[in-house]
Amino acid sequence: MRGALISAAAGAALLLFPALAVADDGGDLSAKELAQQAKDNFLKAKSVHLGYTDHSKGTAADRTKAVAMDLSLDRDGNCAGSLTMGKGGGSVELVKRGHEVWMKPDADFWKAQVPGPQGAAVAELFKDRYVHGTTADAMLKGMADTCDLAAFQRQVDSGVADGKALTKGEETTRDGTKVIPLKGREDGKDNVLYVTSGSPHQLVEAAQKGAGTDLDLTFADYDKPVPSTTPPADKTVEVDRLNQQLGG
């Protein structure tokens, strides 16, 4: 489970940081200025709502890989949201507050991640309940690593530019927000960043398309606190019971 979730976050970062680091220099409100301000504002954000979708055929057909995230996360490692796996792989709801973690996989997720009849047994045993524990548990820590906005920001900040230019397009709208598209091409893939045309300039959407690649990212609710509600005790089961069921 850990590898699929971490690869989704890493893929999102790889889409974001190379493009933000490079731009052209022409004119007032140049692509370079917009991209740099968008990057700076993302790095300063205390929290953000991240949407991630991988439409790539290879990923979409793999039930062990995450193809979508809808997650509010902050620099303290708190998060709330969900992750969806490839075809037939189900989904999992995720909540993290401090060192505590709750995850609620659906039946398809359990069956995809736990091989054989044991997967169906685990799915039935933990049906409609959250598995609760702390980041001291290796499995829950692997899930919770996805929640770390600070780590995501470090990946963005350490991105290495390749010198290729972005060009600024005409103002348009994305979900009712006025944005400026910044377009570029790298390694045979087309990249588009949508940055708010008004100040503060923030990245609200990014896309990358090319051979075998079709990724979308959305960014919203900059600095809006992550929801603090945690699952009730009568809807949870402790992770030790899951580990016993799985034989440790």
Side-chain angles (χ1 to χ4, degrees):
M1 282 181 275
R2 181 173 188 262
L5 301 176
I6 296 303
S7 65
L14 289 172
L15 169 58
L16 179 62
F17 67 65
L20 279 179
V22 297
D24 66 17
D25 296 312
D28 187 31
L29 290 176
S30 70
K32 180 177 182 178
E33 292 169 328
L34 288 170
Q36 188 60 55
Q37 288 188 40
K39 178 179 179 179
D40 291 344
N41 285 324
F42 177 75
L43 294 179
K44 290 188 296 185
K46 296 178 181 178
S47 60
V48 70
H49 187 102
L50 171 67
Y52 168 85
T53 306
D54 187 344
H55 304 281
S56 309
K57 291 183 179 179
T59 304
D62 189 338
R63 67 178 187 168
T64 67
K65 292 184 177 180
V67 297
M69 288 194 295
D70 183 21
L71 204 63
S72 294
L73 62 165
D74 66 22
R75 295 171 75 173
D76 294 325
N78 301 311
C79 76
S82 63
L83 300 102
T84 302
M85 313 306 284
K87 185 177 181 180
S91 62
V92 56
E93 295 180 27
L94 182 63
V95 176
K96 180 175 180 287
R97 299 298 300 180
H99 296 295
E100 291 190 90
V101 184
W102 294 259
M103 69 171 191
K104 186 171 78 169
D106 64 11
D108 286 339
F109 185 94
W110 284 124
K111 292 174 184 178
Q113 300 292 338
V114 181
Q118 191 178 28
V122 170
E124 182 61 29
L125 183 62
F126 299 108
K127 182 179 180 180
D128 296 328
R129 290 193 287 178
Y130 287 85
V131 176
H132 170 252
T134 72
T135 52
D137 180 86
M139 180 182 63
L140 292 180
K141 182 181 186 304
M143 297 284 288
D145 282 347
T146 309
C147 296
D148 193 346
L149 176 61
F152 194 172
Q153 289 170 322
R154 286 193 295 271
Q155 286 183 296
V156 172
D157 197 27
S158 64
V160 178
D162 64 2
K164 295 180 181 178
L166 294 172
T167 58
K168 186 173 65 172
E170 295 295 325
E171 184 180 68
T172 184
T173 60
R174 306 299 286 184
D175 291 330
T177 300
K178 291 183 178 181
V179 295
I180 301 293
L182 307 177
K183 301 178 181 180
R185 186 170 177 82
E186 182 179 3
D187 297 330
K189 299 179 177 66
D190 293 317
N191 300 301
V192 184
L193 307 177
Y194 295 94
V195 177
T196 53
S197 53
S199 182
H201 300 296
Q202 296 175 331
L203 180 67
V204 297
E205 189 172 334
Q208 184 180 71
K209 301 184 188 300
T213 302
D214 189 353
L215 305 174
D216 292 313
L217 279 164
T218 59
F219 300 85
D221 298 336
Y222 282 72
D223 295 326
K224 182 178 179 179
V226 172
S228 59
T229 302
T230 58
D234 62 354
K235 294 292 184 180
T236 65
V237 61
E238 294 305 306
V239 70
D240 288 347
R241 186 176 178 190
L242 173 62
N243 288 331
Q244 291 171 2
Q245 183 70 21
L246 297 177

